[in-house]
Amino acid sequence: MNLRRSLSLACVFLITLICSAPWASSQQEAPVPAFNAAPPAKGTKLPPLLPKEELWGENARFPFQTHAYDLAAKIPVVLHQQPCYCYCDRMGHNSLHSCFENTHGAECATCLKELYYAYSMNSKGKTAAQIRQGIIKGEWKQINLEQAASMN
């Protein structure tokens, strides 16, 4: 009886392990979403970012949503060079900058955390490439949006 129970438990464990393995892969193993490896060419204008005044309703419910658009306006070239791990490149975005050209950035915790991470690292003197490496490593996940709303 104990042998049968042990074998049954072992089978359940193996099936669980096999089924969950594809989901256990880290962000680093997944393909890096779209980004621009360099700043825009001289004379090239980036698409305008949405002004925070155009956010309303659910998109302006929390201070961290509107404040993110203030900060995005300060570092558009840095955002242009960052991937976005909400994988919005599947809907045509080509970088984190794209997320803040419309209300998508206010609606997405991933975009918001990456924006605050990028702004924080830029303020510490990190280059866009260094910031991108931190985003790829998942360092943006540590951002607390409630606390980030006071970032200047």
Side-chain angles (χ1 to χ4, degrees), residues 105-118:
E107 300 163 356
C108 179
T110 299
C111 299
L112 288 164
K113 287 182 176 188
E114 286 189 24
L115 173 279
Y116 281 109
Y117 173 82

Side-chain angles (χ1 to χ4, degrees), residues 45-100:
K45 281 190 166 185
L46 291 173
L49 296 169
L50 186 72
K52 78 172 185 180
E53 293 76 29
E54 292 186 29
L55 296 172
W56 58 277
E58 288 297 309
N59 298 323
R61 193 168 143 202
F62 301 104
F64 60 78
Q65 291 173 299
T66 54
H67 188 53
Y69 283 79
D70 284 335
L71 300 184
K74 295 179 180 182
I75 58 166
V77 174
V78 172
L79 299 180
H80 172 75
Q81 297 174 69
Q82 305 310 319
C84 184
Y85 275 93
C86 78
Y87 293 96
C88 54
D89 55 346
R90 296 175 186 158
M91 53 186 214
H93 289 187
N94 68 7
S95 69
L96 185 57
H97 186 281
S98 301
C99 303
F100 292 90

